[in-house]
Amino acid sequence: MLRLATDENFKASILAGLSRQEPQLDIVRVQDFGLASASDPQVLQWAARERRVVVSHDRKTMPPFAYDMIRNNILMYGVVIASARMPIAEAIDEILLLALCSNESEFVGRVIQLPL
């Protein structure tokens, strides 16, 4: 099972639904670790140290920073981008599928963008 971390602006309703659907899911909010106003690179670096895949709605800035880390051979444990427009139930299902049916080695150095 993947270890996940949501960034600061991730919808609380999706996070709550993930926890309700799968109570054993290892998912944390970065703001609970003192990263409430951290930059995307700081979040990605922290997540790599913690061996967590970052889940975000931020299609604009998070992927470019992740790709920069990959290009510079900096460990990046992966990013999943879920559109903020995606229906909540669909986002929960897609993220759970990835978390429960994947292992971390499949996500290292990858950016996954879920469909709109």
Side-chain angles (χ1 to χ4, degrees), residues 32-48:
D32 293 336
F33 292 85
L35 297 166
S37 58
S39 66
D40 291 346
Q42 289 171 318
V43 168
L44 291 168
Q45 290 168 356
W46 172 84

Side-chain angles (χ1 to χ4, degrees), residues 3-68:
R3 294 168 40 102
L4 305 174
T6 63
D7 69 358
E8 182 178 9
N9 298 314
F10 196 73
K11 287 184 180 179
S13 55
I14 296 173
L15 181 59
L18 288 166
S19 296
R20 250 191 325 276
Q21 289 274 18
E22 184 56 53
Q24 300 303 316
L25 186 64
D26 186 351
I27 188 166
V28 299
R29 302 177 326 149
V30 297
Q31 56 266 43
D32 293 336
F33 292 85
L35 297 166
S37 58
S39 66
D40 291 346
Q42 289 171 318
V43 168
L44 291 168
Q45 290 168 356
W46 172 84
R49 287 191 305 272
E50 296 293 318
R51 300 172 67 124
R52 292 185 179 277
V53 173
V54 174
V55 184
S56 176
H57 295 304
D58 183 0
R59 287 183 184 274
K60 189 173 184 178
T61 63
M62 187 65 79
F65 285 119
Y67 290 130
D68 281 345

Side-chain angles (χ1 to χ4, degrees), residues 40-106:
D40 291 346
Q42 289 171 318
V43 168
L44 291 168
Q45 290 168 356
W46 172 84
R49 287 191 305 272
E50 296 293 318
R51 300 172 67 124
R52 292 185 179 277
V53 173
V54 174
V55 184
S56 176
H57 295 304
D58 183 0
R59 287 183 184 274
K60 189 173 184 178
T61 63
M62 187 65 79
F65 285 119
Y67 290 130
D68 281 345
M69 290 177 72
I70 295 164
R71 271 191 300 279
N72 291 308
N73 292 318
I74 299 169
L75 180 63
M76 198 277 300
Y77 253 77
V79 173
V80 173
I81 302 294
S83 171
R85 296 181 306 202
M86 183 180 245
I88 292 169
E90 185 178 338
I92 291 167
D93 288 346
E94 293 285 336
I95 294 166
L96 276 179
L97 181 65
L98 291 173
L100 298 175
C101 298
S102 305
N103 63 59
E104 69 182 36
S105 67
E106 295 174 285

